[in-house]
Amino acid sequence: VTVTFLCIVAAFMPLMLLSGIMGKFTKAIPMVVLICLFASWTIAIFAMPTFLNMFATKKFEKSDADENENVLEDGERLEKGIFGKVQRGYMKLLNLGLRRRYITVIILFLMLLGSVALIPVVGFVFAPDGGGESIEIKTYLPNSRNLQANLREIQKIEKIILKLPETELKELYGRVGTEVPLGLDPQPGDGTHKSTLYLYLTPVGDRERTAEAIETQLREEFDLAQKSGSITRDMIINVKVQYHKPGVGDPVNVEIRGTDFVTMNKIAEEYMSYLGTVDGIYDITSDFEPGKTEFRYNIDEVTASRAKVSVQDIATAVHASFEGTKATIVREGEDEIGVRVRFNEQTRKSMQGLHNVMISNNQGGLMPLDMVTNKKEMAGYSHINRLNFRRIIQVKAQVDVDKITSVRANADLEKHFHDIEDRYPGNFISYGGEQENTSKSMGELGVYFQIALVVIFMILAIFFKSLMIPLVVMIAIPFSLIGVMFAVVTHGEALCFMSVLAMFSLAGIIVSNTVTLVEFINNKRLEGHGLTDAIVEAAVLRLRPIFLTTGTTVLGLFPSIYGIGEKNHMTAPLALAFGYGLIFATVITLLLVPAFYYIAEDIKRIFSRILGFVGIKMDSTLIKEY
């Protein structure tokens, strides 16, 4: 009991040590599991014997073997009724499997290889969608448009949204002139050409359509309105369902780092053009926004030097003319009122105002701004994003998981643009968002799980005092993948990060079943039973508790798998993979572990014969322990 408890703890520890966004999100799962396991271990070791002594008053005695067909050996009876038939059927199957043990193992390994081959077919998504109850709509007009023009277009969009029935639309909230940033994103969101709308939908159980279906309808209606001209075609409209899941970034997020925005924007346009040709990718955007028209004044250093004015003098004069400067203070009773002097409003809004700016030198003279500067009119930048002190442009897109997954989309981009850095020297391309989080979390989890397997092996080696038996016990761990792949294929799902967590978590549960089974086999052999009889008897006697533990666990997961009551789309894949993985792993364990145990004994016999052939004598106990 203690060994199985320690093995389960070792299997769940990788989930405790996982860092990043997913680590923070999933840490509660192993914490709760381990606390409950420790409590159950404490009850089993310290309280259960007392309970049995108090309540198990009936004495069980071995009866004579009067019905040979129901007796296994030494008076140990098979069950009666339906489960007895199951035991007898399992005995026949197991005997056949042991006689054809190598064929049995080959068949099971072929099933495992088939499951591995299905992984690229079903695809992989980092976090599953589903259960959305809100939709975010972000709109972008050309940055030359003012707030009133933006408001008129948003009112047209609102009319389309308000056509949704009351059974689906609960509330509509909009902000014109602001792009609401995501989380702690420092990017400035204010702009007369930007807007954000939020649609709060009714609960999932109260409406017939999913949020994804409503999103698709709205996107199609917006496209039709733009084609008909009722909504300006210059407006970019992004529609996105908001899910209750960790913020791992966009499915496609290409990060372009460099120094020259002209070149970087050219690279971004290449990516956007290609993504537009890929089926299943939509809402393709770039976070590079050209700013409004700017007038840049370069100082004529020769003229400025002769006029005895500095750059600071020129900047101060321009700032004072348009933003104003504090000239004096007027006292009104106890209050002090600052007086700011600047151009009037009409002058500040016209180009003539710039021509009227006069620069004062250190000798009290005045000269116009145009005399000491050269003016250049050009488009500026609304903002400049940087990553690790380098300028960055990000190309983002959403994916339709029914057509393409994030992993496939990013792999396709890497393949198609493999030479992009060679064609644009000095620029660096990386793939962030969901792809970055997937690579980081899966790599970290893989390392931790390998350490967990080593720890489990050490625990079992100490317990069994053998290096061979731990391998027999742990051999069933990867076969849980067969059940996981069966579950995702039959339920039309894709593999996700939570599914992988389930496979890693299953390691401890599977080991707990196999440890007890192997221990029963060893005990039967110590009682003097032959190898085949010991394996068959131990497996048949352990059939009921294995079925009971597996059955109760799976039944407990069914509400989470199928949303009985309410479905959590984030944890449902975890329950689905864990439940079906446990079912298949248990069934396979009942055939695979006995077969591998027998094969391990075959290896020991061969090893013993080799040693005998070379003249080295070893007693059977030493060979067994080795």
Side-chain angles (χ1 to χ4, degrees), residues 179-198:
E179 177 190 3
V180 179
L182 176 64
L184 301 177
D185 189 349
Q187 178 174 312
D190 292 341
T192 58
H193 61 294
K194 303 177 181 179
S195 294
T196 304
L197 295 167
Y198 283 105

PDB file of all heavy atoms in Angstrom, residues 179-198:
ATOM      1  N   GLU A 179      -9.272  50.314 -27.816  1.00  0.00           N
ATOM      2  CA  GLU A 179      -9.075  48.880 -27.972  1.00  0.00           C
ATOM      3  C   GLU A 179      -8.690  48.338 -26.602  1.00  0.00           C
ATOM      4  O   GLU A 179      -7.597  48.616 -26.101  1.00  0.00           O
ATOM      5  CB  GLU A 179      -7.966  48.575 -28.977  1.00  0.00           C
ATOM      6  CG  GLU A 179      -7.675  47.088 -29.110  1.00  0.00           C
ATOM      7  CD  GLU A 179      -6.423  46.807 -29.921  1.00  0.00           C
ATOM      8  OE1 GLU A 179      -5.746  47.771 -30.326  1.00  0.00           O
ATOM      9  OE2 GLU A 179      -6.113  45.620 -30.121  1.00  0.00           O
ATOM     10  N   VAL A 180      -9.604  47.606 -25.976  1.00  0.00           N
ATOM     11  CA  VAL A 180      -9.344  47.102 -24.630  1.00  0.00           C
ATOM     12  C   VAL A 180      -8.208  46.097 -24.696  1.00  0.00           C
ATOM     13  O   VAL A 180      -8.305  45.093 -25.409  1.00  0.00           O
ATOM     14  CB  VAL A 180     -10.610  46.455 -24.036  1.00  0.00           C
ATOM     15  CG1 VAL A 180     -10.323  45.912 -22.637  1.00  0.00           C
ATOM     16  CG2 VAL A 180     -11.747  47.471 -23.993  1.00  0.00           C
ATOM     17  N   PRO A 181      -7.092  46.341 -23.990  1.00  0.00           N
ATOM     18  CA  PRO A 181      -5.947  45.434 -24.081  1.00  0.00           C
ATOM     19  C   PRO A 181      -6.227  44.106 -23.395  1.00  0.00           C
ATOM     20  O   PRO A 181      -7.124  44.004 -22.548  1.00  0.00           O
ATOM     21  CB  PRO A 181      -4.822  46.196 -23.369  1.00  0.00           C
ATOM     22  CG  PRO A 181      -5.539  47.080 -22.404  1.00  0.00           C
ATOM     23  CD  PRO A 181      -6.839  47.456 -23.059  1.00  0.00           C
ATOM     24  N   LEU A 182      -5.452  43.090 -23.755  1.00  0.00           N
ATOM     25  CA  LEU A 182      -5.594  41.761 -23.172  1.00  0.00           C
ATOM     26  C   LEU A 182      -4.763  41.677 -21.899  1.00  0.00           C
ATOM     27  O   LEU A 182      -3.535  41.831 -21.939  1.00  0.00           O
ATOM     28  CB  LEU A 182      -5.140  40.698 -24.167  1.00  0.00           C
ATOM     29  CG  LEU A 182      -5.129  39.254 -23.672  1.00  0.00           C
ATOM     30  CD1 LEU A 182      -6.535  38.794 -23.342  1.00  0.00           C
ATOM     31  CD2 LEU A 182      -4.510  38.331 -24.716  1.00  0.00           C
ATOM     32  N   GLY A 183      -5.422  41.464 -20.765  1.00  0.00           N
ATOM     33  CA  GLY A 183      -4.710  41.281 -19.499  1.00  0.00           C
ATOM     34  C   GLY A 183      -3.856  42.482 -19.147  1.00  0.00           C
ATOM     35  O   GLY A 183      -4.335  43.612 -19.074  1.00  0.00           O
ATOM     36  N   LEU A 184      -2.561  42.228 -18.953  1.00  0.00           N
ATOM     37  CA  LEU A 184      -1.626  43.274 -18.552  1.00  0.00           C
ATOM     38  C   LEU A 184      -0.839  43.816 -19.734  1.00  0.00           C
ATOM     39  O   LEU A 184       0.251  44.361 -19.567  1.00  0.00           O
ATOM     40  CB  LEU A 184      -0.665  42.722 -17.485  1.00  0.00           C
ATOM     41  CG  LEU A 184      -1.323  42.203 -16.205  1.00  0.00           C
ATOM     42  CD1 LEU A 184      -0.277  41.629 -15.275  1.00  0.00           C
ATOM     43  CD2 LEU A 184      -2.096  43.316 -15.510  1.00  0.00           C
ATOM     44  N   ASP A 185      -1.368  43.675 -20.943  1.00  0.00           N
ATOM     45  CA  ASP A 185      -0.678  44.157 -22.136  1.00  0.00           C
ATOM     46  C   ASP A 185      -0.487  45.673 -22.030  1.00  0.00           C
ATOM     47  O   ASP A 185      -1.457  46.427 -21.909  1.00  0.00           O
ATOM     48  CB  ASP A 185      -1.515  43.823 -23.367  1.00  0.00           C
ATOM     49  CG  ASP A 185      -0.763  44.102 -24.664  1.00  0.00           C
ATOM     50  OD1 ASP A 185       0.304  44.732 -24.595  1.00  0.00           O
ATOM     51  OD2 ASP A 185      -1.251  43.690 -25.723  1.00  0.00           O
ATOM     52  N   PRO A 186       0.777  46.155 -22.070  1.00  0.00           N
ATOM     53  CA  PRO A 186       1.015  47.594 -21.917  1.00  0.00           C
ATOM     54  C   PRO A 186       0.751  48.406 -23.176  1.00  0.00           C
ATOM     55  O   PRO A 186       0.880  49.618 -23.162  1.00  0.00           O
ATOM     56  CB  PRO A 186       2.506  47.642 -21.540  1.00  0.00           C
ATOM     57  CG  PRO A 186       3.092  46.468 -22.247  1.00  0.00           C
ATOM     58  CD  PRO A 186       2.028  45.392 -22.221  1.00  0.00           C
ATOM     59  N   GLN A 187       0.397  47.739 -24.268  1.00  0.00           N
ATOM     60  CA  GLN A 187       0.187  48.461 -25.517  1.00  0.00           C
ATOM     61  C   GLN A 187      -0.948  49.472 -25.361  1.00  0.00           C
ATOM     62  O   GLN A 187      -2.029  49.129 -24.882  1.00  0.00           O
ATOM     63  CB  GLN A 187      -0.164  47.475 -26.622  1.00  0.00           C
ATOM     64  CG  GLN A 187      -0.451  48.123 -27.970  1.00  0.00           C
ATOM     65  CD  GLN A 187      -0.661  47.087 -29.057  1.00  0.00           C
ATOM     66  OE1 GLN A 187       0.128  46.168 -29.179  1.00  0.00           O
ATOM     67  NE2 GLN A 187      -1.715  47.224 -29.831  1.00  0.00           N
ATOM     68  N   PRO A 188      -0.729  50.732 -25.759  1.00  0.00           N
ATOM     69  CA  PRO A 188      -1.799  51.732 -25.619  1.00  0.00           C
ATOM     70  C   PRO A 188      -2.992  51.379 -26.480  1.00  0.00           C
ATOM     71  O   PRO A 188      -2.843  50.984 -27.638  1.00  0.00           O
ATOM     72  CB  PRO A 188      -1.121  53.024 -26.077  1.00  0.00           C
ATOM     73  CG  PRO A 188       0.015  52.589 -26.937  1.00  0.00           C
ATOM     74  CD  PRO A 188       0.481  51.277 -26.381  1.00  0.00           C
ATOM     75  N   GLY A 189      -4.189  51.520 -25.917  1.00  0.00           N
ATOM     76  CA  GLY A 189      -5.387  51.110 -26.639  1.00  0.00           C
ATOM     77  C   GLY A 189      -6.204  52.258 -27.177  1.00  0.00           C
ATOM     78  O   GLY A 189      -7.111  52.050 -27.983  1.00  0.00           O
ATOM     79  N   ASP A 190      -5.937  53.491 -26.737  1.00  0.00           N
ATOM     80  CA  ASP A 190      -6.743  54.617 -27.176  1.00  0.00           C
ATOM     81  C   ASP A 190      -6.437  54.974 -28.621  1.00  0.00           C
ATOM     82  O   ASP A 190      -5.283  54.944 -29.058  1.00  0.00           O
ATOM     83  CB  ASP A 190      -6.486  55.837 -26.284  1.00  0.00           C
ATOM     84  CG  ASP A 190      -7.005  55.627 -24.876  1.00  0.00           C
ATOM     85  OD1 ASP A 190      -7.851  54.731 -24.708  1.00  0.00           O
ATOM     86  OD2 ASP A 190      -6.570  56.343 -23.960  1.00  0.00           O
ATOM     87  N   GLY A 191      -7.488  55.312 -29.360  1.00  0.00           N
ATOM     88  CA  GLY A 191      -7.342  55.727 -30.755  1.00  0.00           C
ATOM     89  C   GLY A 191      -8.711  56.003 -31.336  1.00  0.00           C
ATOM     90  O   GLY A 191      -9.635  55.199 -31.143  1.00  0.00           O
ATOM     91  N   THR A 192      -8.868  57.104 -32.018  1.00  0.00           N
ATOM     92  CA  THR A 192     -10.189  57.457 -32.537  1.00  0.00           C
ATOM     93  C   THR A 192     -10.695  56.446 -33.557  1.00  0.00           C
ATOM     94  O   THR A 192     -11.891  56.405 -33.846  1.00  0.00           O
ATOM     95  CB  THR A 192     -10.134  58.845 -33.201  1.00  0.00           C
ATOM     96  OG1 THR A 192      -9.147  58.824 -34.253  1.00  0.00           O
ATOM     97  CG2 THR A 192      -9.749  59.913 -32.175  1.00  0.00           C
ATOM     98  N   HIS A 193      -9.806  55.618 -34.098  1.00  0.00           N
ATOM     99  CA  HIS A 193     -10.194  54.656 -35.145  1.00  0.00           C
ATOM    100  C   HIS A 193     -10.448  53.258 -34.587  1.00  0.00           C
ATOM    101  O   HIS A 193     -10.755  52.346 -35.343  1.00  0.00           O
ATOM    102  CB  HIS A 193      -9.096  54.588 -36.201  1.00  0.00           C
ATOM    103  CG  HIS A 193      -7.769  54.124 -35.669  1.00  0.00           C
ATOM    104  ND1 HIS A 193      -7.032  54.850 -34.768  1.00  0.00           N
ATOM    105  CD2 HIS A 193      -7.049  52.997 -35.910  1.00  0.00           C
ATOM    106  CE1 HIS A 193      -5.916  54.203 -34.476  1.00  0.00           C
ATOM    107  NE2 HIS A 193      -5.909  53.071 -35.156  1.00  0.00           N
ATOM    108  N   LYS A 194     -10.308  53.056 -33.270  1.00  0.00           N
ATOM    109  CA  LYS A 194     -10.450  51.722 -32.667  1.00  0.00           C
ATOM    110  C   LYS A 194     -11.724  51.636 -31.839  1.00  0.00           C
ATOM    111  O   LYS A 194     -12.194  52.631 -31.284  1.00  0.00           O
ATOM    112  CB  LYS A 194      -9.261  51.414 -31.760  1.00  0.00           C
ATOM    113  CG  LYS A 194      -7.908  51.488 -32.424  1.00  0.00           C
ATOM    114  CD  LYS A 194      -6.817  51.230 -31.392  1.00  0.00           C
ATOM    115  CE  LYS A 194      -5.427  51.327 -32.002  1.00  0.00           C
ATOM    116  NZ  LYS A 194      -4.372  51.101 -31.002  1.00  0.00           N
ATOM    117  N   SER A 195     -12.251  50.417 -31.725  1.00  0.00           N
ATOM    118  CA  SER A 195     -13.414  50.172 -30.859  1.00  0.00           C
ATOM    119  C   SER A 195     -13.404  48.726 -30.394  1.00  0.00           C
ATOM    120  O   SER A 195     -12.814  47.851 -31.045  1.00  0.00           O
ATOM    121  CB  SER A 195     -14.733  50.475 -31.585  1.00  0.00           C
ATOM    122  OG  SER A 195     -14.843  51.845 -31.866  1.00  0.00           O
ATOM    123  N   THR A 196     -14.085  48.491 -29.285  1.00  0.00           N
ATOM    124  CA  THR A 196     -14.203  47.139 -28.728  1.00  0.00           C
ATOM    125  C   THR A 196     -15.642  46.905 -28.299  1.00  0.00           C
ATOM    126  O   THR A 196     -16.235  47.748 -27.618  1.00  0.00           O
ATOM    127  CB  THR A 196     -13.268  46.959 -27.517  1.00  0.00           C
ATOM    128  OG1 THR A 196     -11.931  47.267 -27.908  1.00  0.00           O
ATOM    129  CG2 THR A 196     -13.323  45.513 -27.011  1.00  0.00           C
ATOM    130  N   LEU A 197     -16.191  45.774 -28.705  1.00  0.00           N
ATOM    131  CA  LEU A 197     -17.553  45.381 -28.317  1.00  0.00           C
ATOM    132  C   LEU A 197     -17.495  44.039 -27.600  1.00  0.00           C
ATOM    133  O   LEU A 197     -16.738  43.156 -28.001  1.00  0.00           O
ATOM    134  CB  LEU A 197     -18.449  45.264 -29.548  1.00  0.00           C
ATOM    135  CG  LEU A 197     -18.739  46.557 -30.333  1.00  0.00           C
ATOM    136  CD1 LEU A 197     -19.356  46.224 -31.671  1.00  0.00           C
ATOM    137  CD2 LEU A 197     -19.644  47.470 -29.544  1.00  0.00           C
ATOM    138  N   TYR A 198     -18.310  43.911 -26.551  1.00  0.00           N
ATOM    139  CA  TYR A 198     -18.414  42.644 -25.822  1.00  0.00           C
ATOM    140  C   TYR A 198     -19.858  42.159 -25.874  1.00  0.00           C
ATOM    141  O   TYR A 198     -20.785  42.906 -25.541  1.00  0.00           O
ATOM    142  CB  TYR A 198     -17.985  42.803 -24.364  1.00  0.00           C
ATOM    143  CG  TYR A 198     -16.496  42.878 -24.169  1.00  0.00           C
ATOM    144  CD1 TYR A 198     -15.880  44.090 -23.874  1.00  0.00           C
ATOM    145  CD2 TYR A 198     -15.700  41.744 -24.284  1.00  0.00           C
ATOM    146  CE1 TYR A 198     -14.507  44.165 -23.699  1.00  0.00           C
ATOM    147  CE2 TYR A 198     -14.331  41.807 -24.107  1.00  0.00           C
ATOM    148  CZ  TYR A 198     -13.740  43.019 -23.812  1.00  0.00           C
ATOM    149  OH  TYR A 198     -12.379  43.089 -23.646  1.00  0.00           O
TER     150      TYR A 198
END
